[in-house]
């Protein structure tokens, strides 16, 4: 059942879209090969790629971590409810597609506040016949609104997986930590926190160059250490599941990242670097490529 956000006037949505400034969700969409972005977003992605030519592996492996985490929680732990904040734009293998393939009646609530995401939210809301999805137009910085709206779809008496994937590095400390605590506090025993976060611990030169390209465009961009990422779990009394907080490509790696279908060689050669990213095979990743930590925490 779609939420009220989807009934907004299309003209009002268009008015809210600022095509003069890059937006993180749309830049992420560029790296995933999406088409719901603007020249300013493609320019931001291209600048980041120029600063770190293998940087697309952070984005793509972050997305593949989400696949593995949701598959694990649904398939092994029986989690059937997911609250995905900072959803981003619809792309292949969204949370509900993964979860409902395993648990047909799984329920998923997506949250974002970008009007481009909102305009495409109906593409997310194609639940299987037995499950349910919904979309909330809300800001991460308003957790009370998120929780109130999510309770219309999710049963907070049963475990919920809270997904904060590639979101928190856009939020300063004074807001990030207390908001995560507030969200986790509202979840029942047996719930999970699925989290990934950019860091400068692993390959600092590359990611600092990328950070400059984002901060020059007005983004908040906080690179946190492993200890600072672990703090999201410890301050919320969560126990990270094995293997703990690790580089994203090492979190229960199954070496099964999907390989995009390859176009004709002449077509591929004519593309610019940022357009070629969508066709890259990410299974050749090395430790020198990755700047993302990932973990899943359990609430006792």
């Amino acid at each position: 059942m779609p939420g009220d956000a989807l009934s907004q006037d299309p003209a009002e949505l268009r008015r809210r879209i600022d095509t003069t400034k890059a937006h993180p969700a749309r830049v992420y969409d560029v790296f995933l090969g999406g088409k719901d972005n603007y020249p300013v977003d493609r320019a931001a992605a291209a600048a980041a790629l120029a600063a770190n030519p293998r940087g697309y592996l952070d984005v793509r492996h972050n997305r593949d971590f989400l696949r593995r985490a949701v598959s694990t929680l649904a398939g092994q732990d029986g989690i059937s409810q997911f609250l995905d904040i900072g959803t981003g734009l619809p792309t292949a293998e969204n949370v509900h597609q993964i979860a409902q393939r395993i648990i047909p009646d799984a329920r998923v609530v997506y949250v974002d506040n970008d009007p481009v995401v909102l305009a495409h939210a109906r593409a997310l809301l194609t639940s299987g016949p037995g499950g349910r999805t919904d979309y909330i137009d809300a800001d991460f910085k308003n957790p009370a609104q998120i929780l109130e709206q999510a309770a219309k779809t999710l049963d907070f008496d049963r475990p919920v997986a809270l997904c904060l994937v590639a979101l928190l590095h856009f939020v300063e400390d004074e807001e990030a930590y207390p908001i995560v605590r507030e969200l986790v506090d509202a979840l029942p025993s047996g719930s999970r926190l699925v989290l990934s976060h950019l860091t400068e611990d692993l390959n600092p030169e590359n990611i600092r160059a990328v950070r400059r390209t984002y901060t020059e465009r007005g983004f908040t961009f906080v690179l946190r250490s492993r200890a600072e990422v672990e703090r999201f779990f410890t301050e919320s009394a969560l126990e990270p599941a094995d293997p703990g907080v690790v580089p994203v490509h090492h979190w229960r790696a199954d070496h099964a990242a999907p390989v995009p279908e390859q176009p004709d060689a002449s077509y591929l050669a004519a593309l610019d670097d940022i357009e070629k990213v969508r066709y890259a095979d990410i299974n050749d990743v090395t430790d020198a490529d990755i700047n993302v930590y990932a973990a899943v925490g359990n609430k006792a």
Side-chain angles (χ1 to χ4, degrees):
M1 179 184 297
D4 293 341
L6 297 186
S7 64
Q8 289 192 18
D9 178 25
E12 170 62 18
L13 288 179
R14 287 194 295 273
R15 187 193 66 77
R16 286 176 53 191
I17 297 171
D18 185 351
T19 62
T20 67
K21 296 180 181 178
H23 189 283
R26 301 194 307 255
V27 175
Y28 194 74
D29 182 64
V30 174
F31 279 109
L32 292 175
K35 299 186 181 300
D36 300 312
N37 49 70
Y38 296 94
V40 67
D41 306 304
R42 293 189 285 277
L49 190 68
N52 181 15
R54 299 271 285 175
Y56 65 89
L57 289 164
D58 280 334
V59 178
R60 296 270 300 280
H61 274 280
N62 178 76
R63 189 73 187 182
D64 200 56
F65 158 68
L66 181 64
R67 173 186 66 83
R68 300 193 308 276
V70 173
S71 297
T72 298
L73 294 182
Q76 297 182 17
D77 299 347
I79 302 292
S80 62
Q81 301 191 109
F82 296 82
L83 176 57
D84 182 7
I85 303 179
T87 298
L89 286 150
T91 187
E93 292 292 274
N94 293 290
V95 171
H96 75 278
Q97 294 168 314
I98 302 166
Q100 290 178 358
R101 189 160 54 239
I102 300 167
I103 302 176
D105 62 353
R107 295 187 171 199
V108 178
V109 172
Y110 296 104
V111 182
D112 212 303
N113 70 332
D114 176 49
V116 174
V117 177
L118 179 57
H120 291 84
R122 286 188 177 88
L124 287 171
L125 295 169
T126 53
S127 173
R132 185 175 176 184
T133 62
D134 202 355
Y135 181 90
I136 299 172
D137 179 24
D139 194 319
F140 171 75
K141 297 178 182 180
N142 191 347
Q145 179 191 3
I146 291 172
L147 293 167
E148 178 184 4
Q149 295 296 315
K152 297 177 181 179
T153 300
L154 305 178
D155 178 359
F156 280 88
D157 290 327
R158 297 190 296 113
V160 175
L162 169 64
C163 301
L164 303 176
V165 175
L167 171 67
L168 294 169
H169 41 254
F170 297 115
V171 187
E172 298 285 2
D173 284 359
E174 61 269 20
E175 293 180 304
Y177 289 105
I179 291 173
V180 172
R181 285 198 303 272
E182 183 172 347
L183 290 167
V184 172
D185 283 350
L187 304 180
S189 175
S191 293
R192 307 290 196 273
L193 171 62
V194 179
L195 185 151
S196 65
H197 200 295
L198 284 168
T199 183
E200 60 184 346
D201 285 358
L202 305 174
N203 297 290
E205 184 176 347
N206 289 346
I207 196 62
R208 287 170 185 164
V210 171
R211 176 174 58 188
R212 285 193 296 272
T213 72
Y214 280 85
T215 56
E216 287 168 357
R217 289 166 171 78
F219 291 166
T220 297
F221 207 74
V222 184
L223 300 173
R224 293 187 171 95
S225 68
R226 179 175 179 176
E228 289 168 327
V229 173
E230 288 175 338
R231 182 181 159 196
F232 285 112
F233 295 89
T234 57
E235 288 198 0
S236 298
L238 298 174
E239 180 66 31
D242 183 68
V245 176
V246 295
V248 67
H249 62 308
H250 289 310
W251 194 90
R252 303 194 186 183
D254 60 10
H255 306 290
V259 179
E261 184 177 347
Q262 297 301 298
D264 179 83
S266 60
Y267 173 82
L268 189 63
L271 300 178
D272 62 27
D273 289 344
I274 196 64
E275 292 172 324
K276 290 177 181 176
V277 162
R278 75 184 67 178
Y279 299 110
D281 180 357
I282 66 171
N283 291 291
D284 66 346
V285 66
T286 71
D287 289 350
D289 295 319
I290 293 297
N291 303 281
V292 183
Y293 280 130
V296 174
N298 303 329
K299 184 171 182 179

